[in-house]
Amino acid sequence: MYLATTGRRDAPPTPSGVRRRVPGTVLALGAVSLVTDVSSEMVTAVLPLYLVLGLGLSPLQFGLLDGLSTGATALVRLLGGTAADRGGRHKQIGGLGYALSACSRLGLLLAGGATGWIATAIAADRLGKGVRTAPRDALITLHSPPEDLGRAFGTHRAMDTVGALLGPLAAFALLWATADAYDAVFAVSFCVGAFGVLLWVLLVPGRTRPGGVPTKPAAESAAPRARGGLLAGLRSPAYRRIVLCAGLLGAATVGDSFLYLLLQRRLAFDPVWFPFLPLAAAGVFLLLAVPAGRLADRIGRRAPFLYGHVALLLAYGLLLAPLPDTAVLLGVLVLLGVFYAATDGVLMALTGPFLAEGRQAGGLALVQTAQALARVGAAVAFGAVWTAGGPGTALVAALLALTAALCCAARMLPDTPVDRGAPRPSVAAAVPEPSERTD
């Protein structure tokens, strides 16, 4: 198996036991994501209420809008990643995605009650998210030492989650203060999103670091770069298995909304508390994202990623177990937060070192797309089984599917070597010699 390292290869190895700082670029990207998530989650929190209760859309109409836009997001990630890799335009393509999402809030404000314009605005928001995700994660990979990728992604995801927590709180505070004036929420969301774009322009470096220092030393400019199209990386056995495992596990992952609905059905609590369930899970994610990333850097990223899915498996089991309602509620929310903390950024940190030079954004996008499309299929299948056989049958089917997927992933998923003292290898060609291909 060949290993193409990314990140700051010019820096000497950090002595063991010395505390390392998170790169400034990662903190800048985290600040942009924090602000942008405040903006996007303000809209996400109130959109179902606005469309279903305010405009009278049926749940089926809302589901179609949400499903189509989510599917488009998954596919456009590939385009964003490929475009960012051409000429190293990660900042330009990522900035386009952030700007598109910000403008979508203005579209909601100007749409009034026109369903067509609202659908266009929602699609623009999701497309913007799809365009920016891979270039942003590629910048984290490029500006972080390979041995600290888990910590870098954990820090970014923690900052991102702060925004996800603040957004709904700000939205409901605005609705309370303005007597349910949804336009006020959309207007404030647009302003916050525009501020996020400004932070991206001012704080995030492009092809050079602040001060004009090249991202890579001149001696490495002649290093072999990836050749071929977006799928060329799949010729690497390790990367191919990561993509396959991400899709396999994604196909057995029940969406958060279904789990929250199952909790509500079992506990029969007032629906007014329903929006606070995601906040509780996000709070656990916020607390554990950085520790999970640091643990992944220390012991290897394969094990935390798999154990994160074990946590999800336990959450499924809790919903079926004859336990007190309070224990089930707290257990499911904690386990869901553990699942995301141990898998979201860790998957990107696991994938990064296996990507050839010049293919970071496209390679990460392919993994994210495989996972996202598989989860869309899982949501459709879970909903169909629920409709045909009831929630208990659907949950048992999901538990069995995730168990099987975990067994397969445990055998196939490669691990990133963790060796802080050894010299970092030079960038490898996109297609290794046959003698170098080992599993």
Side-chain angles (χ1 to χ4, degrees):
M1 175 180 66
Y2 76 90
L3 183 66
T5 60
T6 57
R8 297 187 303 182
R9 290 177 288 275
D10 54 319
T14 304
S16 177
V18 176
R19 185 176 180 86
R20 292 169 302 280
R21 294 183 177 180
V22 176
T25 299
V26 175
L27 295 178
L29 291 167
V32 174
S33 292
L34 190 158
V35 172
T36 302
D37 251 36
V38 171
S39 171
S40 62
E41 292 301 324
M42 286 179 67
V43 174
T44 301
V46 303
L47 203 57
L49 298 175
Y50 175 63
L51 294 179
V52 177
L53 299 182
L55 300 183
L57 268 66
S58 69
L60 176 59
Q61 290 173 314
F62 174 70
L64 288 174
L65 283 177
D66 186 68
L68 289 174
S69 57
T70 300
T73 300
L75 294 175
V76 82
R77 284 177 182 171
L78 296 175
L79 299 177
T82 303
D85 281 334
R86 291 176 180 172
R89 297 181 297 173
H90 302 95
K91 180 171 182 177
Q92 293 88 335
I93 300 300
L96 176 63
Y98 280 104
L100 187 59
S101 291
C103 291
S104 72
R105 324 283 193 251
L106 187 61
L108 285 172
L109 183 63
L110 300 177
T115 305
W117 286 108
I118 291 173
T120 302
I122 294 174
D125 175 47
R126 300 298 173 85
L127 290 174
K129 182 177 181 179
V131 167
R132 71 178 183 253
T133 300
R136 180 202 65 201
D137 286 349
L139 285 172
I140 296 174
T141 303
L142 289 166
H143 288 268
S144 302
E147 68 272 17
D148 284 341
L149 277 176
R151 185 165 176 257
F153 275 102
T155 300
H156 174 269
R157 296 310 196 252
M159 297 178 72
D160 184 86
T161 305
V162 171
L165 286 169
L166 295 177
L169 297 177
F172 287 113
L174 272 173
L175 288 178
W176 176 78
T178 60
D180 293 341
Y182 291 99
D183 286 352
V185 175
F186 299 150
V188 172
S189 175
F190 167 70
C191 294
V192 176
F195 180 60
V197 175
L198 180 62
L199 290 179
W200 176 274
V201 173
L202 296 179
L203 300 182
V204 176
R207 299 178 65 178
T208 60
R209 300 185 187 280
V213 181
T215 303
K216 300 177 180 60
E220 295 188 17
S221 60
R225 295 176 64 86
R227 294 181 294 274
L230 177 65
L231 301 180
L234 293 175
R235 284 176 279 184
S236 161
Y239 176 68
R240 185 169 62 243
R241 285 185 288 169
I242 291 175
V243 175
L244 180 61
C245 288
L248 188 63
L249 290 168
T253 301
V254 176
D256 300 354
S257 298
F258 281 120
L259 294 182
Y260 299 145
L261 286 172
L262 289 167
L263 278 174
Q264 200 279 330
R265 285 175 61 92
R266 171 163 178 166
L267 277 63
F269 55 77
D270 192 323
V272 73
W273 298 104
F274 190 85
F276 291 95
L277 296 179
L279 296 182
V284 177
F285 181 20
L286 173 62
L287 292 175
L288 298 181
V290 175
R294 296 180 67 179
L295 178 65
D297 289 335
R298 185 174 295 114
I299 68 173
R301 291 146 195 167
R302 177 180 179 273
F305 182 71
L306 293 174
Y307 286 135
H309 285 85
V310 172
L312 183 62
L313 188 69
L314 293 176
Y316 294 174
L318 273 182
L319 287 167
L320 293 169
L323 295 174
D325 289 347
T326 303
V328 173
L329 175 64
L330 295 178
V332 169
L333 294 179
V334 169
L335 288 170
L336 194 57
V338 171
F339 163 65
Y340 281 112
T343 59
D344 187 12
V346 172
L347 177 59
M348 296 297 97
L350 170 64
T351 307
F354 292 105
L355 298 174
E357 186 66 34
R359 291 291 183 226
Q360 291 89 355
L364 294 176
L366 186 58
V367 173
Q368 293 165 345
T369 300
Q371 184 183 62
L373 291 179
R375 287 181 175 177
V376 170
V380 174
F382 187 84
V385 176
W386 184 336
T387 302
T393 302
L395 198 53
V396 170
L399 191 148
L400 294 175
L402 183 55
T403 301
L406 267 170
C407 292
C408 294
R411 294 180 61 86
M412 293 190 299
L413 195 66
D415 197 7
T416 304
V418 179
D419 188 357
R420 299 185 186 280
R424 295 176 185 139
S426 60
V427 179
V431 182
E433 296 296 327
S435 61
E436 295 176 341
R437 293 191 186 187
T438 63
D439 291 345

